[in-house]
Amino acid sequence: MKHSTSPNDVILHSVTKIAVVIILTFSIDLFFAGHHNPGGGFIGGLSMAAALTLLFISFDIESVQANLPVDFTKLAAVGVLIAVFVGIGGMLFNQPFLFQAFDYFNLPIFGKTELATAVLFDIGVALAVIGTAVTIIMTISEDR
């Protein structure tokens, strides 16, 4: 639904652009902090969905979808598949479901860095949460 622009829209759009960058940065931090501290795929994905919802509220949904052509239903399905396949991955090596493997690697820019399969699982969870939450928000907005 298109709406007419008013002088207040300039302020709303400017503040929204700044707030979305801050929220997305924080959600990425939450995502990566979740491996050793509170956070992870669920809350990181939920805060990313909140940023997208803020864009939908500030700008119209059609404009956001034109700039971000993602089918969020398929995104949720891909996220669930990633999470399930990562969980099954340990079983291929005679380990329990959701077994986590990790090791430390010397990466060129980052130095000694821990890489773990739990991050892959968190990616799947984050995609599933983003896809589900945004699909729900868009479905509710269609009903008005």
Side-chain angles (χ1 to χ4, degrees), residues 54-89:
L54 181 60
L55 285 173
F56 290 150
I57 291 171
S58 179
F59 302 92
D60 57 297
I61 291 178
E62 291 82 15
S63 297
V64 176
Q65 284 180 326
N67 291 308
L68 188 66
V70 175
D71 184 347
F72 290 100
T73 306
K74 290 180 183 174
L75 185 70
V78 167
V80 169
L81 288 175
I82 289 172
V84 168
F85 285 134
V86 169
I88 292 173

Side-chain angles (χ1 to χ4, degrees), residues 8-125:
N8 292 337
D9 284 349
V10 174
I11 296 170
L12 176 66
H13 292 171
S14 299
V15 171
T16 297
K17 290 174 187 175
I18 294 168
V20 164
V21 170
I22 292 169
I23 294 169
L24 289 176
T25 304
F26 182 59
S27 65
I28 290 169
D29 181 61
L30 281 173
F31 175 83
F32 285 112
H35 186 61
H36 293 291
N37 300 306
F42 183 81
I43 193 63
L46 202 56
S47 58
M48 282 190 186
L52 291 171
T53 303
L54 181 60
L55 285 173
F56 290 150
I57 291 171
S58 179
F59 302 92
D60 57 297
I61 291 178
E62 291 82 15
S63 297
V64 176
Q65 284 180 326
N67 291 308
L68 188 66
V70 175
D71 184 347
F72 290 100
T73 306
K74 290 180 183 174
L75 185 70
V78 167
V80 169
L81 288 175
I82 289 172
V84 168
F85 285 134
V86 169
I88 292 173
M91 296 172 72
L92 298 174
F93 299 101
N94 292 326
Q95 298 294 331
F97 182 73
L98 286 177
F99 177 78
Q100 174 183 313
F102 68 94
D103 202 355
Y104 292 90
F105 298 92
N106 281 319
L107 300 177
I109 295 174
F110 302 106
K112 186 176 180 183
T113 305
E114 179 186 28
L115 297 178
T117 57
V119 175
L120 298 175
F121 178 77
D122 276 344
I123 288 171
V125 170

